[in-house]
Amino acid sequence: MRGVAQKRLSPEVWAYVEGGAGEERTLEENRAAFHRWCLRPRQLAGIRTVDLRTTLLGTAVSSPVYVSPTAYQGLVHPTAEAGTARGAGAAGVLAMFSTLSSLSLEAIAAAAPSGPKWFQLYLQPEFQTTQELIERAEKAGYTALVLTVDAPVLGPRDRQTRDGVAIRSPVPIGNGPRILPPARAPELRNGAYEFPEDATVTWEILGQLREVTSLPLVVKGILTAEDARRAVDAGARAVIVSNHGGRQLDGAMTGLEAVPEVVEAVGAEAEVYMDGGVRRGSDVLTALALGAKAVGIGRPVLWALAAGGGAGVERLLSLLNLELAVSMMLAGRRSLTEIDRGLVASRDD
Ligand SMILES: Cc1cc2nc3c(=O)[nH]c(=O)nc-3n(C[C@H](O)[C@H](O)[C@H](O)COP(=O)(O)O)c2cc1C
């Protein structure tokens, strides 16, 4: 699907999809981190069926794999987020949709009314605008709010600059002309770099959000035990351990590396998910063995959408689920609850 997508998309859009921040060290490490773990399979477990079903904040899903939020899906396929919603819905998989979607959140929800959907929030300069987005998401049937905290400003996207900025002309945002992406750059003022006021956010924002919504809060973009604790203490019901697909702080640790400390820090108080570099059923197995409850995929969904629209996304998810089921069979685990820390060993030890 990646190969088909690359052929179909312009070099600018391909740079937007594939690129990371700076030298792309973190982007590269997102894959490499999986290679530093190996699996310790148990044989002759007498397995006849493998069950991938689970719940994410109480929502029943067919698999611990979910669709991560990615902006501007209209750049890769005319059906945009509606295609993704239909594909994920058909697969019974949870999908998260970005504030910066090409279609409105209402149109996305209408495309797959029964599919589980969460709304990913980028804070807007005016809290009133943020609140309106949340109210719209509640009304349209999104069942959780995913606050992304690792993008107060956009990371330096060198590849996009090099390959001709993908978003040369402003890409329409389906949620309305007032909705803005994260700011691009600070200004040098009196010798110091000054960031836009709305980039200056603290943990108090979680309390503010909880005052205006009863939707469960998920915090996306956590990489340390310390921040995971702060998020949970401020009322987050789940945290997503993620470096934004290597697109923000180049050199940052990977989600997979951070999962163990985050799981230890939050214990049973919140659910822990991860994303970044998940490409195979065996990757899902590794992340779950380290303590994640679910894993998100970003770029592969865009490849699948570009290659085959909603049907492509459904096919991708069913292939990944099948791989996970076969990997579990080969590892001697019949359900997600049987995936334990003993299933993985570090190659570096
Ligand atoms: C093209 C693209 C757009 C993205 N847009 C968003 C976004 O709008 N909001 C967000 O929280 N994360 C965004 N992300 C990050 C993803 O949610 C996710 O963290 C990341 O893609 C996971 O890594 P993977 O692509 O290796 O699977 C984006 C990622 C990509 C590749």
Side-chain angles (χ1 to χ4, degrees):
M1 287 178 179
R2 184 170 184 269
V4 174
Q6 182 168 15
K7 279 199 199 102
R8 292 219 174 138
L9 300 177
S10 69
E12 302 89 73
V13 172
W14 188 243
Y16 166 68
V17 169
E18 291 292 282
E23 275 179 48
E24 304 189 338
R25 279 166 56 204
T26 293
L27 176 63
E28 210 171 289
E29 282 300 314
N30 278 354
R31 272 309 289 151
F34 283 95
H35 300 158
R36 289 196 288 271
W37 292 97
C38 52
L39 297 166
R40 302 177 61 251
R42 299 296 304 275
Q43 319 297 11
L44 299 185
I47 294 173
R48 180 70 191 274
T49 59
V50 170
D51 195 344
L52 303 183
R53 286 171 298 177
T54 186
T55 58
L56 302 176
L57 293 182
T59 300
V61 286
S62 69
S63 147
V65 175
Y66 67 86
V67 172
S68 293
T70 54
Y72 309 120
Q73 294 181 10
L75 288 175
V76 306
H77 194 266
T79 61
E81 291 82 10
T84 302
R86 280 194 285 268
V93 158
L94 171 73
M96 301 178 186
F97 291 99
S98 172
T99 293
L100 308 177
S101 291
S102 300
L103 296 176
S104 71
L105 62 90
E106 290 86 0
I108 300 168
S114 59
K117 286 173 292 292
W118 293 1
F119 181 68
Q120 180 267 321
L121 179 66
Y122 275 134
L123 293 169
Q124 297 298 304
E126 303 284 333
F127 190 75
Q128 181 61 30
T129 317
T130 300
Q131 190 174 340
E132 281 166 24
L133 272 176
I134 296 171
E135 284 164 4
R136 285 172 57 191
E138 276 182 11
K139 215 167 138 202
Y142 293 77
T143 54
L145 201 58
V146 181
L147 176 69
T148 296
V149 295
D150 61 6
V153 289
L154 279 188
R157 307 282 170 82
D158 290 12
R159 191 189 317 199
Q160 281 180 49
T161 313
R162 237 182 0 249
D163 294 3
V165 180
I167 325 295
R168 207 185 284 277
S169 51
V171 183
I173 294 174
N175 284 321
R178 283 193 305 139
I179 304 304
L180 299 174
R184 271 184 188 273
E187 279 173 28
L188 188 54
R189 271 210 198 115
N190 304 325
Y193 289 95
E194 191 173 308
F195 289 88
E197 198 186 334
D198 52 293
T200 311
V201 183
T202 69
W203 288 102
E204 280 165 23
I205 189 67
L206 266 70
Q208 250 178 296
L209 293 173
R210 286 175 64 206
E211 272 171 32
V212 302
T213 182
S214 54
L215 289 180
L217 282 183
V218 179
V219 175
K220 175 174 183 282
I222 296 282
L223 286 171
T224 60
E226 300 91 303
D227 274 355
R229 264 300 352 144
R230 293 204 74 162
V232 174
D233 290 342
R237 298 268 310 278
V239 293
I240 302 180
V241 188
S242 165
N243 58 32
H244 211 112
R247 297 162 81 84
Q248 287 297 101
L249 176 63
D250 195 26
M253 71 194 298
T254 66
L256 194 71
E257 287 166 321
V259 161
E261 67 175 86
V262 168
V263 169
E264 199 187 314
V266 308
E269 287 175 67
E271 297 186 352
V272 176
Y273 317 143
M274 68 78 62
D275 72 27
V278 175
R279 301 292 179 263
R280 290 283 171 181
S282 54
D283 299 333
V284 182
L285 206 50
T286 302
L288 265 49
L290 289 171
K293 182 152 206 260
V295 304
I297 47 172
R299 293 179 183 84
V301 176
L302 298 175
W303 305 333
L305 186 64
V313 173
E314 184 184 358
R315 176 93 180 118
L316 169 83
L317 294 168
S318 65
L319 282 172
L320 202 50
N321 284 346
L322 179 67
E323 267 193 22
L324 175 58
V326 173
S327 299
M328 284 171 64
M329 168 62 165
L330 293 173
R333 302 319 202 259
R334 76 195 79 224
S335 70
L336 302 180
T337 50
E338 288 185 1
I339 299 177
D340 57 330
R341 184 62 181 72
L343 176 52
V344 285
S346 167
R347 288 192 189 273
D348 302 330
D349 287 348

